[in-house]
Amino acid sequence: MKVLKFGGTSVGSLDALKNVKLIVEKEFNENEPLIVVCSAFSGITNSLLLSAEEALLQNDFSEILKVAEEKHYQIISGLLPRTSQNPLLMMVKVSFNEIEDILFSVKNLGELSGRIKDRLLAYGEQMSSKIIATYLQSENFPANYKDARELIVTDSNFGNASVDFIKTNENLKNWNLENQIYVVTGFISKDENQDTTTLGRGGSDYTSAILGSGLKANEIQIWTDVDGFMTADPRLVKNAFSQPELSYQEAMEMSYFGAKVIYPPTMIPAIESQIPIYIKNTFNPENPGTLIQQKSEISKGLIKGIVSIEKTCLVNITGNGMIGMKGFSGRLFNALAKYDVNVILITQASSEHSISFVVNFNDEKKAEKAIREEFEFEINTNKIDEPQFDNELSILSVVGENMKKTRGISGKFFSALGKNGINIIAIAQGSSELNISAVIERNELSKALNVVHESLLLSPVKTFNVMFAGTGNIGKELFKQLKREDENLEKNHQIKINVIGVTNSRQMIISESKSLNFDLNEILDKNLEIANLEYFINSISSKNLPNLVFIDNTSSEDVVSHYPQFFENNISIVTCNKKGNSSAYEQYSKFKRLAKKNNVSFLYETNVGAGLPIIKTLNDLWISGDEILKIEAILSGTISYIFNNYVGDKTFAEVVRTAQELGYTEPDPRDDLNGMDFSRKMLILGREIGLPLEMSDVNIKDFLPEACLKADSIPSFYEELEKNEPYFSSLKNEAEQSGKKLRLIGILEDGKINIEVKIVDSNHPFSSLSGSDNIISFTTSRYKNTPLVVKGPGAGAEVTAAGVFADLVRVTAQ
């Protein structure tokens, strides 16, 4: 025998009811009974409650009833042949007349007791079950209506009645079942006085479990509107998916902490009778859903789900008078119990100076009243401080039996929250190790769910939300690379990049929901807003998105000035902008401190060698304890190109002009040839090994005559280069005659930085440099006789964008 329960959404429309018929047809076996438990049609219970509240307030409730009644008529006319409609239409009309009579009594008497409310709400299940039974009959099924009040006996605790299982099971034992379909009312029952009672929230689920247990069914099926138990709320976590199996304990924990798939008490009769429960989707019946049984056989991952209670209230009681006060906790929780306050989570300091607990959002006033009554004397005599209530909180819990005895789960859980700047207000973990819970700010719940879901490997793909500043050559090339590698990142590295904002000095765009695409030209063609970096940062930060990264592809000092704001909002930074790390040393060290304090990444490999792994190599040497004796480097692709091509009969001015035409120089070539860019790179290297250097500590010997540097225009600059050709050619001839090469070399040694033109022989590792390549040589205690050399392209949009891309991937790996 099977028991099938259909919730309100499963019987909430014509299409849904047709799906119910198809499911019943598939599950019905002519050789055994089939129990079908039905809730009221979707929205009807709420309408009846609302109309009762309006009646109690002496307000008109007729429109609410009219809409509810009309819904029943529409379902009857849409489902049934005309010959079957009249008895049901009459039944609905009589039912709503009776409902109206009850409501007028409530309005006239100004009283709405639990007994009257239960009687009123029972009409929803009675009408829906009679309509569904008749619908199945019209489709040639042997179906009959059964009122659960004939079977389930309870006490008189109206609204949340307790089942008398002895009498109920006796009724079920005496129920003469035939091999047909019984459509049973969910949610409702009766007491010893034959008064209608209800089984509380999730009562239809409970009905199915009571019947399944008492009738010794083979299985219970709960049909709802989701594909079983999800790993997280799919409305908040896009990558959530359904779990194929859960144990009873896992399902109980997940239901208790917010998963609204099944009501926790539902499972108690099933657990006692060891009946498997299937959670399935009425609107996707082919999906296998979730099987709940004694032990979960399928164990993918350490946790089964992340659940949450969105609205809770944290109560904090402190005071010196609590220390050593015997029986304090007993008094506290007895007082709460008297006011029917459910305590969700408890944590207490070992000093006994404070105790904190979480209650339902709606129980805050009752909890406050209970505490003040019980501890009036202690509060008035200052032995206990005024109780504190914070109702802007949520609870986040991870659940899974595989967490038992597994090291590091708590670390991953709390690390994921901390890395994204989510403050943990209170924590709790039972000795069973089945659940870890954290109390957090309510406005951070969505972000918290997503980061924990990803960090504990429930999401197959880890998503990073990335914002970009700068849409020049590097920015455009980076977008091309991201677009080209998007599928590869997701398929082979389980990384998804969401573009959530783009800005330059003129315009900006912020995604309202889904990711922007990777076509930068298409983005910039849209009607964008006027750029406002402050608004850009605040708007994206306010979305509380997980795994935020800011990429700075500019050379703007204004953008750099906002770095602290990014760090303080727990946003990692990847930058090719050298101005942040080469300005004042205090600013450089501040950025490093803020990144560490907020547990975010600050990566800037491209500051020194574009796509070359220079900073990473240096950091690896430094952190592993190697002593850096000397660093020699050529870190200007522009100057490398010029010196490598200043040969033969070419003038120095001709080579510089060609470099500019090829795009190797800045619009004004002096910005490269004055050595300032080279100086910034050497300064950053010095700082990376712990030297508190300023730009004034970099000694650079100008190799351009002063007249060239001070020319009042670019054409005048080239004229001065031609005038000074004898000076340049003398340097070139000196090198060529001795078989050597001209090189602009930076040297970091003994805490000092010097940059100057040198003539190197063929044995020098820098002699063979070609094109616009960069090269750096590390002489260390370990690499003393043979220095460690890194060489390759050190300039150009393609390699710089690739370096930024590599840093972004490093952020995702941290």
Side-chain angles (χ1 to χ4, degrees):
M1 185 193 299
K2 296 178 182 177
V3 177
L4 279 60
K5 176 264 176 177
F6 293 94
T9 54
S10 296
V11 293
S13 66
L14 291 174
D15 288 339
L17 286 164
K18 290 174 183 177
N19 284 341
V20 168
K21 189 264 292 186
L22 294 174
I23 293 165
V24 169
E25 183 176 18
K26 182 179 179 182
E27 297 293 337
F28 178 53
N29 181 340
E30 293 181 354
N31 297 317
E32 61 189 31
L34 180 69
I35 309 298
V36 176
V37 178
C38 294
S39 296
F41 293 145
S42 179
I44 297 302
T45 300
N46 287 339
S47 294
L48 293 174
L49 274 173
L50 182 58
S51 61
E53 291 166 1
E54 292 297 314
L56 188 62
L57 295 170
Q58 309 297 305
N59 294 331
D60 181 32
F61 50 79
S62 59
E63 190 60 34
I64 301 171
L65 287 189
K66 182 180 178 182
V67 172
E69 186 174 357
E70 184 60 33
K71 179 166 188 171
H72 288 80
Y73 292 149
Q74 288 174 356
I75 288 175
I76 292 168
S77 61
L79 279 183
L80 294 156
R82 286 190 176 275
T83 54
S84 302
Q85 288 182 16
N86 284 339
L88 290 176
L89 294 173
M90 183 61 66
M91 179 272 297
V92 171
K93 184 63 179 173
V94 169
S95 295
F96 274 95
N97 285 342
E98 292 175 1
I99 290 169
E100 192 173 37
D101 288 343
I102 294 171
L103 293 175
F104 274 122
S105 298
V106 170
K107 188 172 183 178
N108 291 331
L109 295 172
E111 183 180 338
L112 178 62
S113 66
R115 177 172 171 271
I116 294 299
K117 187 183 291 186
D118 278 4
R119 181 181 169 191
L120 182 68
L121 296 182
Y123 281 98
E125 272 71 17
Q126 291 177 76
M127 290 187 290
S128 68
S129 297
K130 288 176 182 176
I131 292 169
I132 292 167
T134 307
Y135 169 48
L136 292 175
Q137 290 169 3
S138 73
E139 296 289 332
N140 299 316
F141 290 100
N144 283 292
Y145 165 78
K146 185 70 173 179
D147 193 326
R149 291 176 294 184
E150 299 174 18
L151 304 169
I152 301 175
V153 182
T154 69
D155 63 11
S156 299
N157 183 23
F158 299 103
N160 191 17
S162 296
V163 176
D164 184 331
F165 279 98
I166 295 175
K167 293 180 179 178
T168 297
N169 288 335
E170 185 65 27
N171 288 340
L172 293 172
K173 183 179 178 181
N174 294 328
W175 186 8
N176 186 23
L177 288 169
E178 298 179 8
N179 295 334
Q180 57 180 285
I181 300 166
Y182 293 90
V183 181
V184 184
T185 54
F187 180 54
I188 63 176
S189 47
K190 69 175 181 180
D191 65 9
E192 291 283 2
N193 301 316
Q194 305 302 307
D195 286 326
T196 297
T197 57
T198 59
L199 299 174
R201 174 176 163 257
S204 292
D205 289 348
Y206 199 11
T207 301
S208 65
I210 294 166
L211 298 182
S213 176
L215 296 171
K216 304 192 184 310
N218 293 80
E219 65 183 60
I220 297 168
Q221 298 178 9
I222 306 293
W223 289 87
T224 180
D225 55 1
V226 292
D227 294 332
F229 266 91
M230 308 294 285
T231 53
D233 187 339
R235 296 169 300 176
L236 300 176
V237 180
K238 188 168 60 176
N239 294 326
F241 56 92
S242 61
Q243 285 285 14
E245 287 191 17
L246 294 175
S247 69
Y248 290 128
Q249 289 297 321
E250 288 170 335
M252 287 283 279
E253 288 283 338
M254 291 177 69
S255 297
Y256 182 72
F257 279 96
K260 296 180 175 63
V261 177
I262 191 170
Y263 184 47
T266 296
M267 288 179 282
I268 295 173
I271 292 171
E272 292 175 349
S273 300
Q274 297 291 289
I275 302 172
I277 303 172
Y278 289 86
I279 309 296
K280 305 195 76 172
N281 190 345
T282 308
F283 307 96
N284 185 19
E286 299 306 314
N287 188 288
T290 300
L291 167 61
I292 304 170
Q293 56 187 354
Q294 180 63 27
K295 187 170 179 60
S296 173
E297 300 297 333
I298 300 174
S299 299
K300 292 183 178 179
L302 295 172
I303 67 171
K304 291 297 181 69
I306 304 161
V307 287
S308 58
I309 302 175
E310 182 184 4
K311 292 184 176 183
T312 61
C313 176
L314 177 71
V315 184
N316 192 33
I317 301 176
T318 61
N320 293 328
M322 291 169 56
I323 300 173
M325 185 189 294
K326 294 179 181 179
F328 177 83
S329 297
R331 289 175 60 193
L332 172 62
F333 295 116
N334 279 331
L336 295 170
K338 288 177 185 177
Y339 279 87
D340 199 27
V341 175
N342 181 40
V343 178
I344 302 171
L345 177 153
I346 306 166
T347 181
Q348 183 172 17
S350 58
S351 66
E352 300 181 349
H353 180 266
S354 69
I355 185 168
S356 302
F357 57 94
V358 177
V359 299
N360 288 320
F361 181 80
N362 295 326
D363 285 344
E364 178 187 350
K365 298 300 182 185
K366 290 194 294 183
E368 182 174 9
K369 188 174 182 180
I371 293 166
R372 291 192 181 280
E373 280 186 6
E374 179 65 31
F375 298 102
E376 181 181 10
F377 172 77
E378 287 85 353
I379 293 172
N380 290 338
T381 57
N382 296 320
K383 290 184 177 182
I384 295 178
D385 301 330
E386 282 288 323
Q388 298 172 330
F389 298 85
D390 189 343
N391 57 18
E392 294 296 324
L393 304 176
S394 297
I395 294 180
L396 175 73
S397 300
V398 293
V399 176
E401 288 194 331
N402 287 350
M403 290 162 52
K404 295 176 183 177
K405 309 299 182 185
T406 302
R407 295 181 177 89
I409 293 294
S410 297
K412 284 186 178 180
F413 177 58
F414 296 124
S415 175
L417 295 174
K419 190 173 180 62
N420 283 272
I422 299 165
N423 184 40
I424 299 170
I425 297 164
I427 61 174
Q429 180 176 14
S431 58
S432 67
E433 300 183 71
L434 189 66
N435 172 307
I436 305 172
S437 299
V439 180
I440 60 173
E441 297 287 345
R442 191 186 307 165
N443 62 1
E444 294 182 325
L445 179 60
S446 176
K447 178 165 71 168
L449 282 167
N450 279 277
V451 298
V452 173
H453 198 269
E454 290 182 344
S455 68
L456 294 180
L457 306 179
L458 283 177
S459 294
V461 176
K462 192 170 186 180
T463 301
F464 283 80
N465 296 292
V466 185
M467 57 189 100
F468 298 80
T471 59
N473 291 335
I474 295 172
K476 289 176 181 175
E477 178 60 34
L478 177 59
F479 267 74
K480 288 179 184 176
Q481 294 179 13
L482 287 169
K483 183 177 182 179
R484 186 174 62 241
E485 296 300 319
D486 181 43
E487 185 176 343
N488 172 52
L489 284 174
E490 185 165 353
K491 182 178 179 181
N492 296 318
H493 303 284
Q494 291 74 53
I495 296 169
K496 179 67 179 174
I497 304 298
N498 275 347
V499 182
I500 58 168
V502 178
T503 185
N504 56 29
S505 60
R506 304 172 304 283
Q507 298 172 298
M508 68 179 184
I509 182 170
I510 299 170
S511 171
E512 291 303 318
S513 54
K514 64 181 182 179
S515 172
L516 302 170
N517 60 34
F518 288 111
D519 190 330
L520 191 54
N521 289 327
E522 183 180 321
I523 292 173
L524 297 176
D525 283 343
K526 295 179 180 177
N527 186 22
L528 308 184
E529 297 180 68
I530 297 173
N532 182 325
L533 192 55
E534 189 76 24
Y535 176 81
F536 183 78
I537 298 169
N538 291 336
S539 178
I540 292 176
S541 298
S542 67
K543 294 177 182 292
N544 261 323
L545 296 169
N547 302 323
L548 279 169
V549 184
F550 173 69
I551 295 182
D552 180 7
N553 291 320
T554 75
S555 58
S556 165
E557 291 184 358
D558 180 51
V559 174
V560 169
S561 70
H562 286 83
Y563 282 9
Q565 194 174 348
F566 287 108
F567 290 135
E568 286 160 4
N569 281 284
N570 298 93
I571 300 172
S572 294
I573 295 178
V574 171
T575 179
C576 61
N577 187 345
K578 290 182 282 291
K579 292 182 179 175
N581 289 324
S582 61
S583 295
Y585 177 78
E586 175 53 34
Q587 176 175 274
Y588 164 85
S589 58
K590 178 182 179 181
F591 291 167
K592 303 281 274 190
R593 288 195 308 271
L594 284 174
K596 185 175 182 179
K597 175 186 175 184
N598 292 284
N599 198 24
V600 294
S601 299
F602 179 38
L603 300 178
Y604 42 88
E605 182 66 73
T606 51
N607 276 195
V608 174
L612 295 179
I614 292 174
I615 291 178
K616 183 179 184 302
T617 302
L618 179 58
N619 285 339
D620 287 347
L621 294 170
W622 180 249
I623 202 169
S624 65
D626 202 354
E627 182 184 4
I628 310 298
L629 303 176
K630 182 168 68 172
I631 299 175
E632 294 178 279
I634 295 175
L635 296 175
S636 171
T638 302
I639 296 174
S640 288
Y641 175 86
I642 292 170
F643 280 1
N644 285 329
N645 288 275
Y646 184 39
V647 293
D649 296 332
K650 296 178 184 177
T651 67
F652 192 77
E654 289 172 342
V655 176
V656 174
R657 195 182 300 278
T658 301
Q660 184 179 16
E661 290 169 355
L662 291 172
Y664 289 152
T665 75
E666 296 293 331
D668 186 339
R670 285 171 293 183
D671 291 341
D672 295 295
L673 294 172
N674 64 11
M676 180 55 69
D677 185 66
F678 199 160
S679 299
R680 291 182 188 277
K681 294 176 178 179
M682 291 301 296
L683 179 62
I684 292 170
L685 288 176
R687 289 174 173 178
E688 286 297 293
I689 60 172
L691 300 175
L693 300 172
E694 301 289 355
M695 186 59 75
S696 58
D697 296 317
V698 180
N699 179 33
I700 180 166
K701 294 183 179 179
D702 293 328
F703 65 91
L704 287 184
E706 188 174 351
C708 298
L709 292 171
K710 291 187 175 180
D712 57 10
S713 66
I714 294 176
S716 299
F717 163 67
Y718 278 110
E719 290 175 9
E720 291 297 331
L721 288 183
E722 295 287 0
K723 291 178 184 178
N724 284 278
E725 179 58 27
Y727 161 72
F728 297 117
S729 61
S730 66
L731 293 173
K732 178 182 69 173
N733 293 334
E734 180 183 353
E736 288 180 346
Q737 289 169 7
S738 57
K740 299 179 181 180
K741 301 285 182 68
L742 283 176
R743 297 287 185 257
L744 181 67
I745 298 176
I747 301 173
L748 171 58
E749 188 174 20
D750 297 329
K752 297 177 181 178
I753 298 175
N754 293 291
I755 302 173
E756 59 183 310
V757 173
K758 292 195 171 219
I759 298 174
V760 299
D761 60 31
S762 58
N763 293 324
H764 197 284
F766 293 1
S767 174
S768 60
L769 200 65
S770 61
S772 60
D773 283 359
N774 284 355
I775 190 169
I776 187 164
S777 169
F778 298 104
T779 302
T780 73
S781 296
R782 296 175 191 153
Y783 296 92
K784 196 168 187 177
N785 298 323
T786 305
L788 176 62
V789 175
V790 179
K791 175 185 174 183
E798 186 173 3
V799 293
T800 303
V804 173
F805 195 156
D807 272 351
L808 175 57
V809 173
R810 286 191 195 100
V811 172
T812 68
Q814 292 180 357

